[in-house]
Amino acid sequence: MNRSKGYLLVLVTIFAYLSWQLVTPFLQFVLAAVLIAFVLYPLQRRLEKHVGPTISAFILLLVAIAGFIVPFVLVAAMIADDAVRILQDADAETLQLTEIEELIEEQAGLEVDIADSVMDSAQEIGTILLERSTEWFSMLTHTLIGLGLTLFLIYYLLKDGDKLMAWLRDKTPLPEDVQDDLYGELNEVMWAVLAGHVLIAIIEGVIAGLGLFATGIPNAGFWTFVMVVLSLVPLIGAPLVWIPASIYLLMIGEPILALALAVYSAIVVGIADDYLRPIVVDRYAEISPAVIILGVLGGIYAFGVMGLFFGPVILGAFLAVVDVIDENYDRLGGDSEPGET
């Protein structure tokens, strides 16, 4: 009997590894689908009572396209356009390369032409990019396939979400009440990260970005995105952008705009953080800022862009699981069957 169990465990391990290999190339898109489906799932449960799971899932898929995917693509395109514009505007005059070249010649006695060197490097980079056009086409194809996969996964996660949860509960070797505690804690952690940190970061970044647009900061769209990302990290946030932006306005001879941007950002963004965050966070599980910082930074390295969301979720979920096990440790030491109360 033990030999049979060992054989089955080997099979499970092999197929789990092979399944992971299949998922890995599209991990970002799978995580995006899970995230969007999780956000829309409460609506799915309400809507399917009236029109059935299939129609409600299709309706919410359209909502996901209009409310999540299309805005994300548009924002990504705007950010990319601003990033390109920043590189195009970085000429010798704006970067004061002449003064730098004169300083190098004065201190080291070497004549250098940074502008020509940069242009030569840019031409070499352009040649490399042209030669790698096949890879760019492959990346574009991969992205399109991934987006299609995301849409399919969102639809089926919404449509068959109840069946998936029933399967998970059936296969989880824990008593029903412990499972209720476990999945309840995981649900609170997910919403705490999404609503209490991600949503607040987006609101704060956008509010601060309005100040950049209003005062005429170049490439304000790109810097707004940067502030949203920075706002995900506690103790850092948008000031790393709006303070240099205020200094920039002061240096170009716009002291009134500089003062207005600084006052607006310090007061309005500060109020949003001081009042909005506690209101939202108090509704869900409280997560330590240390968990958020480690989760965001580590999540980016582990999962790419989606790590911004799932990094803190994974750490918070780990702590939640430890709490549930600690509370029920004595009971879990017995030989109760899966699902037995």
Side-chain angles (χ1 to χ4, degrees):
M1 186 66 178
N2 290 334
R3 185 175 181 181
S4 299
K5 288 183 178 179
Y7 177 72
L8 290 175
L9 288 175
V10 170
L11 280 180
V12 170
T13 303
I14 291 174
F15 283 109
Y17 171 76
L18 294 176
S19 299
W20 174 252
Q21 293 298 106
L22 294 175
V23 172
T24 300
F26 297 99
L27 183 60
Q28 294 287 321
F29 300 98
V30 173
L31 293 177
V34 171
L35 181 66
I36 295 174
F38 177 83
V39 172
L40 295 177
Y41 187 66
L43 294 177
Q44 169 72 15
R45 298 194 67 177
R46 293 185 177 91
L47 192 57
E48 67 182 10
K49 296 178 182 178
H50 305 284
V51 296
T54 301
I55 296 177
S56 59
F58 181 75
I59 293 173
L60 291 178
L61 177 62
L62 298 179
V63 172
I65 294 173
F68 294 95
I69 296 177
V70 171
F72 176 81
V73 172
L74 293 177
V75 170
M78 180 183 68
I79 293 170
D81 182 66
D82 280 351
V84 171
R85 191 179 296 114
I86 290 174
L87 294 177
Q88 291 175 341
D89 293 342
D91 54 21
E93 287 75 15
T94 56
L95 293 179
Q96 297 181 332
L97 295 182
T98 302
E99 288 80 357
I100 297 175
E101 291 168 356
E102 292 176 354
L103 180 62
I104 293 175
E105 183 176 358
E106 178 182 341
Q107 297 295 327
L110 299 175
E111 293 186 5
V112 295
D113 193 332
I114 299 177
D116 286 345
S117 299
V118 171
M119 289 301 296
D120 291 341
S121 299
Q123 291 175 356
E124 292 178 5
I125 294 174
T127 302
I128 293 173
L129 293 178
L130 183 61
E131 292 174 350
R132 301 182 64 178
S133 58
T134 303
E135 295 183 18
W136 288 106
F137 179 77
S138 176
M139 183 183 300
L140 176 61
T141 303
H142 177 80
T143 301
L144 293 176
I145 294 174
L147 287 175
L149 175 64
T150 300
L151 296 179
F152 276 108
L153 288 176
I154 292 172
Y155 173 78
Y156 284 106
L157 285 172
L158 290 172
K159 178 176 175 291
D160 299 326
D162 289 335
K163 296 178 182 178
L164 176 60
M165 286 305 302
W167 181 84
L168 286 175
R169 292 181 70 95
D170 182 62
K171 302 304 177 185
T172 302
L174 294 173
E176 287 291 339
D177 58 333
V178 177
Q179 290 196 47
D180 291 338
D181 291 341
L182 175 61
Y183 291 120
E185 290 282 348
L186 295 179
N187 185 69
E188 286 195 6
V189 166
M190 191 77 167
W191 281 113
V193 173
L194 290 178
H197 297 281
V198 175
L199 180 61
I200 299 301
I202 293 175
I203 293 175
E204 289 184 6
V206 170
I207 290 176
L210 292 176
L212 301 186
F213 280 102
T215 53
I217 296 296
N219 309 300
F222 173 80
W223 295 116
T224 298
F225 170 76
V226 172
M227 285 191 291
V228 169
V229 175
L230 291 175
S231 296
L232 288 170
V233 184
L235 307 179
I236 298 180
L240 283 184
V241 173
W242 65 257
I243 291 178
S246 301
I247 296 174
Y248 165 79
L249 290 173
L250 187 63
M251 293 178 63
I252 64 173
E254 297 288 351
I256 296 179
L257 290 179
L259 179 62
L261 178 60
V263 171
Y264 166 84
S265 300
I267 295 178
V268 177
V269 178
I271 289 176
D273 186 74
D274 292 338
Y275 290 93
L276 190 57
R277 189 183 296 274
I279 291 174
V280 176
V281 172
D282 286 347
R283 295 185 56 187
Y284 305 103
E286 185 175 352
I287 300 180
S288 169
V291 172
I292 298 297
I293 292 175
L294 181 58
V296 168
L297 299 181
I300 293 175
Y301 280 95
F303 304 110
V305 175
M306 296 309 300
L308 290 170
F309 310 102
F310 282 94
V313 167
I314 290 173
L315 288 181
F318 169 72
L319 296 178
V321 169
V322 171
D323 287 339
V324 171
I325 292 176
D326 180 64
E327 292 173 1
N328 299 275
Y329 184 78
D330 293 335
R331 296 178 53 203
L332 298 179
D335 297 325
S336 59
E337 296 295 329
E340 180 181 325
T341 57

